[in-house]
Amino acid sequence: MAFDGFTIAALVSEMDAKLTGGHIQKIAQPEADELLLSIKNNKTQYKLQISASPSLPLIHLTNSPKPSPFTAPGFCMLLRKHLGGAKILSFEQVGLERVIRIQLENLNELGDVVQKSLMVEIMGKHSNIILVDEKNTIVDSIKHINGLTSSVRQVLPGLDYFIPNTQHKINPYEVTTNDWNETLFIKPVSIAKMLYGSLSGFSSSLSHELAYRSHLDGDAPTASLNGNDKSELMEQFRSIMQQTKGRDFSPCIVFRGAKPIDFGAFSFAMYTDCTCKIYESMSEVVETFYGEKDTLERIRQKSIDLRKSVTNILERNYKKRDMQYKQLKKTDGKEKYKVYGELLTTYGYQLSETDTSLTCVNYYNNEEITIPVDETMTAIENANKYFARYNKLKRTEEAVKEQQEETEETITHLESIMTELDIARKEEDLLVIRQELSDFGYMKEKRSGKKGSCNAGAERFPQTEALNHEHEKLKEWFRTVRFRKVLFGGVDEIHLWKKLEELNQIYETSLSAERARYDALLADHQRSCNAVIRKYKKLAERGTTGQDTNV
């Protein structure tokens, strides 16, 4: 399931055949680490998606559109300056490394023909997209890597570009029989690990497939190989390399049932209990296999703040529910205080001034009961004290049960929102969820624009944008208004009245927009006031409940 060097080779072969000679028409940057190039070649429009995401780096042709931000990022603007309208000369792979060089030709500011290269590095968390000039100097990159981030290579404008060789693997195109005998077969590791650990471009899946085709166990140690095993393994290796040189690929996805479990540039024989489906292009394989995963990964990254907020609120409500349950348990004995008060009212005449308790018969169950009393208070005062405690606990019980219902409703609602976040597939889904959290007061609504700017509330209130539009129309009318003149007597009266009618219509529309804006502002202010009132009411109720429970 690796984006290995052979997958890159198949993609380069496909893109070189379809895109070489074409011109870049549009450059977009839908994500912070992703580019979308629109290329026209042979009267056909193609879209090339390049992602340097640390979790899922990709490059492939696609038909799926992606929305771009209203304001293009700096790297996108720089590429439009240097590569807008550029002609694609070639797609090249560096050995069998996961590095692609897109060779381009364009005109500079002086009108001279210059060549530049767009380097695409598909290397996991080290993935990058780098623009290099004809002197192999870095113009800019989608990710800047300084000396603090990496001690191996810095990627900054003005530095020389080079590919770091940190793994010291052998180029499969240059491997010899001596390399096999003196370097590869003597390694004390498994056969599969010997292949992907020593040869660039090999993945674990392809290494096990190569061993399977050689009738060997990929997990067996290299020391177990005899002469025939080694010859068969080298023969299968040469066969795959010959197919790669001849661009004879068989892009496929391995399915176990309906679930894709692996893919590659060649068909797999080792998955005997699975289905291997062959596709026409490697781009189709990558998009089919990673398309849903890429979407889910992007949505997961963009919903991190929402998940964190909802999780925090849920945890607070779980704790609140536990506290309310404990508080409710404290009210279980309230009925005894009611009985104490009634019995003191009935038998209080038996108390003397020095008694600290009253022993009498409980007429509810005909059992003897002892009631603690305060000797400094009369029987009626002791009875009233118990009645007051009973009433307070009863009010507390009613308030806590009401709060419990609200808490349970909140928890149920938040758990449903978490479910919505789990099944969200589009950014629009996240916007709806964010608005829902804001409407229910779980999150503060984000406000854009500078303080004091007339456009600061345009996103929050669409009426403001409409009003600004009408104001612009009014200014434009005054700037461009011209009155038709007549030969004698000044301006044409009929034309003047038409212009005044136009002005009146603009004023009427502007006034309607102003009223709509003020209505929206008043409604928003009313909602804010109601939210504050509800908040203070809840605080007051909690304060009353807290006093009651302390008695």
Side-chain angles (χ1 to χ4, degrees):
M1 202 185 296
F3 213 85
D4 58 23
F6 293 90
T7 301
I8 296 293
L11 286 168
V12 166
S13 173
E14 176 189 348
M15 292 183 290
D16 192 46
K18 292 183 178 180
L19 304 181
T20 296
H23 292 266
I24 298 177
Q25 292 192 322
K26 292 181 182 179
I27 302 174
Q29 190 173 345
E31 306 288 349
D33 51 13
E34 183 178 304
L35 293 177
L36 190 63
L37 307 182
S38 296
I39 302 167
K40 189 172 184 180
N41 190 27
N42 297 327
K43 298 182 180 180
T44 305
Q45 197 78 25
Y46 298 96
K47 289 182 180 179
L48 179 61
Q49 181 179 343
I50 309 173
S51 172
S53 168
S55 57
L56 201 61
L58 299 169
I59 177 171
H60 61 90
L61 295 172
T62 180
N63 294 319
S64 304
K66 271 199 169 185
S68 300
F70 291 108
T71 304
F75 185 65
C76 180
M77 296 297 289
L78 180 133
L79 290 182
R80 289 175 180 176
K81 174 186 175 182
H82 289 274
L83 304 183
K87 180 181 179 180
I88 298 176
L89 300 180
S90 65
F91 283 82
E92 303 169 3
Q93 183 182 15
V94 182
L96 264 179
E97 297 286 350
R98 292 174 294 170
V99 179
I100 301 174
R101 180 189 293 272
I102 307 175
Q103 197 68 32
L104 303 153
E105 184 181 80
N106 204 6
L107 301 177
N108 62 12
E109 293 86 347
L110 301 176
D112 299 326
V113 177
V114 294
Q115 290 190 4
K116 291 183 173 66
S117 300
L118 192 64
M119 307 300 300
V120 182
E121 300 179 347
I122 309 296
M123 300 179 177
K125 65 180 181 179
H126 303 294
S127 300
N128 211 337
I129 305 171
I130 307 168
L131 179 63
V132 179
D133 65 14
E134 52 193 353
K135 296 180 181 179
N136 210 39
T137 302
I138 298 173
V139 179
D140 206 352
S141 61
I142 203 165
K143 297 178 186 176
H144 287 178
I145 310 297
N146 56 31
L148 297 175
T149 306
S150 172
S151 59
V152 177
R153 181 187 65 161
Q154 297 183 39
V155 181
L156 295 171
L159 299 180
D160 290 337
Y161 174 79
F162 67 94
I163 301 172
N165 185 19
T166 57
Q167 295 181 325
H168 304 289
K169 292 185 178 181
I170 302 173
N171 186 346
Y173 289 118
E174 301 172 356
V175 69
T176 63
T177 304
N178 289 336
D179 291 328
W180 281 101
N181 294 325
E182 298 175 5
T183 304
L184 300 177
F185 287 138
I186 63 173
K187 289 193 172 184
V189 293
S190 66
I191 298 172
K193 190 171 183 180
M194 176 265 293
L195 290 171
Y196 69 76
S198 305
L199 301 172
S200 63
F202 273 78
S203 63
S204 177
S205 296
L206 186 59
S207 299
H208 278 90
E209 174 65 18
L210 198 64
Y212 182 84
R213 293 184 183 185
S214 305
H215 309 290
L216 299 172
D217 182 4
D219 295 323
T222 54
S224 64
L225 296 174
N226 57 35
N228 292 333
D229 294 337
K230 293 178 181 179
S231 299
E232 183 65 23
L233 186 62
M234 288 190 289
E235 185 61 32
Q236 291 297 332
F237 168 79
R238 293 190 192 100
S239 175
I240 281 185
M241 293 308 301
Q242 194 63 36
Q243 285 182 265
T244 305
K245 290 177 182 177
R247 297 188 172 185
D248 182 17
F249 299 103
S250 304
C252 73
I253 297 179
V254 179
F255 291 89
R256 179 172 284 126
K259 182 181 178 181
I261 61 170
D262 206 346
F263 75 97
F266 306 102
S267 59
F268 287 94
M270 64 178 180
Y271 293 107
T272 55
D273 59 338
C274 300
T275 305
C276 185
K277 182 178 179 181
I278 305 296
Y279 288 80
E280 293 183 0
S281 70
M282 198 68 222
S283 290
E284 188 179 359
V285 167
V286 173
E287 189 166 25
T288 303
F289 192 87
Y290 281 124
E292 183 72 10
K293 187 176 181 181
D294 182 47
T295 302
L296 292 176
E297 182 65 23
R298 296 287 182 186
I299 293 297
R300 187 192 66 80
Q301 291 175 356
K302 293 180 178 179
S303 64
I304 286 176
D305 61 328
L306 292 176
R307 289 179 182 276
K308 185 176 180 180
S309 297
V310 175
T311 301
N312 290 339
I313 300 170
L314 264 174
E315 288 178 355
R316 288 200 297 268
N317 278 275
Y318 288 146
K319 291 179 181 178
K320 185 193 296 185
R321 182 174 63 182
D322 293 340
M323 291 175 63
Q324 289 168 349
Y325 178 77
K326 292 176 182 178
Q327 200 171 7
L328 196 62
K329 288 289 288 183
K330 293 179 181 179
T331 65
D332 289 347
K334 66 181 183 301
E335 292 297 330
K336 72 175 181 179
Y337 297 118
K338 179 183 177 183
V339 173
Y340 285 175
E342 291 176 348
L343 293 176
L344 281 171
T345 304
T346 305
Y347 301 108
Y349 65 90
Q350 300 178 5
L351 282 173
S352 64
E353 294 181 356
T354 58
D355 288 341
T356 58
S357 63
L358 171 66
T359 301
C360 60
V361 177
N362 183 355
Y363 45 71
Y364 287 106
N365 55 16
N366 293 323
E367 295 179 358
E368 194 175 79
I369 186 173
T370 301
I371 304 172
V373 295
D374 186 348
E375 67 272 13
T376 62
M377 302 171 64
T378 64
I380 297 301
E381 289 174 340
N382 275 288
N384 289 336
K385 182 185 74 171
Y386 281 121
F387 282 134
R389 185 175 298 182
Y390 164 76
N391 289 327
K392 287 181 180 180
L393 288 175
K394 184 179 179 181
R395 290 195 301 271
T396 299
E397 182 184 37
E398 293 172 354
V400 170
K401 284 184 177 179
E402 185 177 344
Q403 291 173 3
Q404 274 187 323
E405 291 179 4
E406 293 178 2
T407 304
E408 288 294 341
E409 289 176 2
T410 301
I411 289 173
T412 303
H413 185 204
L414 290 171
E415 287 176 344
S416 69
I417 291 177
M418 285 297 289
T419 304
E420 291 173 9
L421 285 171
D422 291 335
I423 63 176
R425 293 294 181 272
K426 298 179 181 178
E427 289 189 43
E428 290 78 3
D429 299 336
L430 298 183
L431 292 175
V432 171
I433 294 171
R434 188 182 296 275
Q435 186 61 44
E436 182 178 356
L437 290 171
S438 175
D439 291 343
F440 280 88
Y442 300 130
M443 289 180 65
K444 291 183 179 179
E445 187 171 0
K446 290 186 176 180
R447 301 191 183 188
S448 60
K450 295 181 179 179
K451 188 176 180 180
S453 171
C454 62
N455 294 323
E459 289 188 9
R460 189 179 179 198
F461 299 105
Q463 296 84 358
T464 302
E465 187 176 350
L467 179 60
N468 292 339
H469 178 66
E470 294 302 326
H471 285 173
E472 290 297 328
K473 284 174 62 176
L474 193 58
K475 288 193 290 185
E476 183 66 17
W477 189 91
F478 279 112
R479 190 178 67 82
T480 60
V481 65
R482 297 289 185 274
F483 296 106
R484 186 183 302 163
K485 294 183 179 180
V486 294
L487 187 59
F488 301 102
V491 298
D492 187 341
E493 185 177 352
I494 296 176
H495 187 257
L496 174 63
W497 282 110
K498 285 183 178 179
K499 288 294 181 182
L500 290 177
E501 187 177 352
E502 286 180 10
L503 179 61
N504 183 61
Q505 289 178 352
I506 295 175
Y507 270 123
E508 288 290 339
T509 308
S510 180
L511 182 60
S512 299
E514 184 76 31
R515 287 171 180 162
R517 177 175 177 272
Y518 277 118
D519 289 342
L521 289 170
L522 288 171
D524 182 70
H525 180 69
Q526 186 62 46
R527 285 195 297 271
S528 300
C529 290
N530 292 339
V532 172
I533 292 171
R534 287 196 300 271
K535 179 180 178 181
Y536 279 103
K537 279 185 176 179
K538 287 184 178 180
L539 288 174
E541 291 173 359
R542 291 173 186 171
T544 304
T545 304
Q547 292 175 3
D548 293 346
T549 55
N550 290 332
V551 175

